[in-house]
């Protein structure tokens, strides 16, 4: 199946599924203690299981409450016949922009059980979505508004927070501390490359990174140009998101990433659409250099995570929140990645590198974020979109 067979429609409806428990009380002078409420139990059987790293021999999974059960006891359970389908961990979108529960529902319907927001604001509205899987929607980590140097995007967005505008070292320190005090999971630096001039200045970026590291937070660097990637490598943040479309990465640069143990989030679907948009106005860009860069990253064994940069229209949005992640995986396959490594880059690897120790793999005690497919995506990566059912923290998503 080719990328062109997918629709880039923004029309999608969110689905939420929640389990409600009603408690009855019997008023007595000396009431006895109420029995403990049994956790809801679901048994998914007759499935081929890929655990986030490899195929395993088990064909049945027991969900108890929000996690994969350590017990094989199926008494009182709801049974789901997987009909020989493919069960894998829920997808993790390592670069998205989500600002409300409708979007989180759209992501969940596509099989995304965790998303990493890269720049939505205000930050005060974001923590409530950290752990909403039990509502049948996608849980969200966040950076808050990115550090940048105006006046262009993202500073041009309405109500953009002023502390994100970096004009000196003191601003850089204040930005990092403000975001961390707001409870962000990581910080984002938006590197603008305007005709070879890098903003914010590299020294200011270094101060953000150093301040973040002192407070145990990681840096994600937005770098869609060759020179921007050079600066991101020099600054040394953990993650570099996007991939150049002006010039392909080279061996020495990728070696530097390896040496600094940096992680790539290429967002090929965004870079492909951006290249097409810019070429219409005569910009010297070519998506093929992005494809070649990912091929080199993969050949040299830089870890690659699956992210889409899906966002609202008017805020850089070109990519669908829904099928976008499946399109991204297809483009990574086109760049030479194996289907199994792509799936790792959408499950176990983002969980590992973003320190999410409770998800990304299927094993007892882990969060029951699960994706049931009718066809095997290891055989054909586009089978990732043959979704039968999704569970977010043990709650089934009502697909629309």
């Amino acid at each position: 199946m080719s990328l062109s067979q997918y629709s880039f429609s923004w029309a999608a409806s969110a689905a939420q599924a929640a389990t409600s428990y009603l408690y009855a009380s019997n008023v007595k002078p000396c009431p006895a203690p109420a029995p403990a409420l049994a956790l809801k139990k679901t048994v998914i059987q007759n499935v081929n299981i890929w655990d986030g790293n490899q195929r395993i021999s088990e064909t049945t999974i027991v969900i108890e409450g929000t996690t994969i059960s350590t017990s094989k006891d199926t008494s009182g359970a709801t049974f789901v016949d997987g009909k020989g389908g493919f069960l894998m961990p829920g997808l993790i979108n390592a670069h998205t922009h989500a600002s409300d529960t409708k979007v989180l529902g759209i992501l969940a319907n596509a099989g995304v059980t965790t998303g990493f927001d890269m720049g939505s604001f205000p930050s005060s509205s974001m923590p409530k979505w950290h752990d909403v899987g039990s509502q049948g929607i996608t849980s969200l980590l966040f950076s808050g508004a990115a550090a940048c140097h105006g006046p262009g995007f993202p500073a041009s967005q309405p109500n953009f927070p002023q502390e994100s505008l970096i004009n000196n070292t003191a601003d850089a320190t204040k930005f990092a501390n403000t975001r961390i005090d707001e409870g962000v999971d990581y910080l984002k630096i938006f590197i603008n490359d305007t005709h070879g001039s890098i903003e914010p200045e590299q020294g200011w970026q270094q101060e953000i990174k150093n301040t973040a590291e002192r407070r145990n937070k990681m840096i994600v660097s937005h770098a869609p140009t060759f020179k921007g990637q050079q600066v991101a490598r020099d600054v040394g943040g953990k993650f570099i998101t996007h991939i150049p479309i002006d010039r392909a990465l080279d061996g020495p640069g990728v070696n530097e990433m390896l040496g600094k143990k940096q992680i790539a989030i290429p967002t090929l679907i965004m870079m492909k659409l951006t290249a097409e948009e810019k070429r219409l106005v005569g910009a010297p860009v070519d998506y093929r250099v992005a494809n070649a860069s990912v091929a080199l990253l993969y050949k040299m064994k830089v870890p690659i995570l699956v992210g889409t940069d899906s966002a609202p229209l008017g805020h850089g949005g070109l990519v669908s929140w829904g099928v976008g992640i499946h399109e991204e995986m297809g483009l990574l396959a086109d760049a030479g990645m194996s289907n199994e490594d792509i799936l790792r880059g959408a499950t176990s690897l983002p969980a590992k590198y973003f320190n999410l120790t409770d998800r990304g793999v299927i094993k007892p005690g882990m969060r029951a974020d699960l994706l049931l497919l009718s066809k095997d995506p290891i055989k054909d990566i586009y089978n990732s979109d043959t979704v039968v059912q999704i569970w977010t923290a043990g709650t089934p998503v009502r697909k629309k």
Side-chain angles (χ1 to χ4, degrees):
M1 185 180 295
S2 68
L3 179 65
S4 63
Q5 290 176 269
Y6 280 88
S7 166
F8 287 85
S9 170
W10 285 90
S13 58
Q16 297 187 26
T19 303
S20 299
Y21 296 101
L22 299 178
Y23 295 86
S25 61
N26 184 12
V27 179
K28 296 180 180 179
C30 297
L37 183 67
L39 294 173
K40 183 178 179 181
K41 193 181 296 183
T42 302
V43 177
I44 308 169
Q45 57 188 2
N46 188 23
V47 286
N48 298 291
I49 301 173
W50 184 80
D51 70 357
N53 290 299
Q54 60 190 356
R55 295 181 189 272
I56 60 176
S57 58
E58 285 85 350
T59 59
T60 299
I61 289 290
V62 179
I63 301 172
E64 193 164 10
T66 62
T67 61
I68 298 170
S69 180
T70 57
S71 168
K72 297 297 184 182
D73 178 15
T74 62
S75 59
T78 299
F79 286 81
V80 175
D81 182 4
K83 299 180 180 179
F86 186 94
L87 187 71
M88 62 177 286
L91 301 174
I92 299 175
N93 190 332
H95 187 147
T96 188
H97 298 266
S99 56
D100 56 43
T101 53
K102 179 180 179 181
V103 172
L104 298 181
I106 295 170
L107 288 167
N109 268 268
V112 176
T113 54
T114 300
F116 300 160
D117 186 271
M118 293 292 175
S120 296
F121 56 88
S123 301
S124 58
S125 69
M126 305 300 289
K128 63 186 177 186
W129 294 315
H130 254 150
D131 191 12
V132 290
S134 60
Q135 298 177 37
I137 57 178
T138 300
S139 295
L140 201 67
L141 275 65
F142 72 107
S143 68
C148 65
H149 180 79
F153 189 86
S156 58
Q157 297 177 92
N159 303 313
F160 189 78
Q162 291 300 300
E163 71 273 5
S164 280
L165 298 174
I166 312 302
N167 295 296
N168 51 53
T169 302
D171 285 348
T173 307
K174 180 181 178 181
F175 162 79
N177 284 321
T178 298
R179 288 287 165 272
I180 295 169
D181 289 344
E182 290 171 340
V184 300
D185 299 287
Y186 41 84
L187 289 86
K188 182 180 178 184
I189 301 173
F190 197 98
I191 302 175
N192 265 326
D193 177 0
T194 307
H195 307 298
S197 176
I198 294 294
E199 299 172 339
E201 290 184 11
Q202 185 169 333
W204 304 343
Q205 295 184 45
Q206 194 70 53
E207 174 61 18
I208 294 170
K209 186 246 185 182
N210 293 344
T211 302
E213 284 189 344
R214 286 193 292 270
R215 299 188 64 183
N216 298 313
K217 295 295 180 183
M218 298 182 291
I219 296 293
V220 179
S221 296
H222 160 107
T225 68
F226 183 85
K227 187 168 184 179
Q229 293 255 333
Q230 286 180 314
V231 171
R233 293 194 300 269
D234 290 345
V235 170
K238 184 71 172 178
F239 305 95
I240 303 178
T241 189
H242 302 310
I243 203 79
I245 51 176
D246 58 339
R247 177 180 166 186
L249 296 177
D250 54 28
V254 175
N255 261 327
E256 185 179 359
M257 285 188 73
L258 281 169
K260 293 183 175 180
K261 298 182 178 180
Q262 292 173 304
I263 315 299
I265 311 173
T267 67
L268 281 176
I269 184 170
M270 171 57 83
M271 305 322 297
K272 181 179 178 66
L273 294 173
T274 300
E276 291 170 356
E277 186 179 62
K278 288 182 177 293
R279 282 171 64 85
L280 292 175
V281 295
V285 296
D286 190 338
Y287 172 73
R288 289 175 294 183
V289 305
N291 179 286
S293 294
V294 170
L296 182 62
L297 289 168
Y298 183 61
K299 179 180 179 181
M300 296 181 69
K301 301 188 184 306
V302 171
I304 297 172
L305 308 185
V306 178
T308 62
D309 199 12
S310 48
L313 291 172
H315 294 266
L318 295 173
V319 181
S320 166
W321 280 299
V323 298
I325 194 163
H326 305 289
E327 295 162 350
E328 178 69 16
M329 290 193 281
L331 290 172
L332 290 168
D334 291 344
M337 288 185 68
S338 76
N339 292 346
E340 200 158 13
D341 281 337
I342 294 167
L343 294 176
R344 293 185 185 107
T347 55
S348 57
L349 291 185
K352 172 185 175 180
Y353 291 118
F354 278 84
N355 300 321
L356 293 173
T357 58
D358 64 342
R359 70 196 75 178
V361 295
I362 295 177
K363 68 178 183 180
M366 299 296 280
R367 194 168 124 137
D369 287 349
L370 300 168
L371 177 59
L372 177 60
L373 308 174
S374 63
K375 297 181 181 179
D376 186 343
I378 296 175
K379 294 180 180 178
D380 180 345
I381 197 62
Y382 285 103
N383 286 340
S384 68
D385 199 22
T386 61
V387 177
V388 176
Q389 183 55 275
I390 306 116
W391 290 264
T392 58
T395 297
V397 175
R398 295 181 188 150
K399 279 185 62 61
K400 298 290 186 180

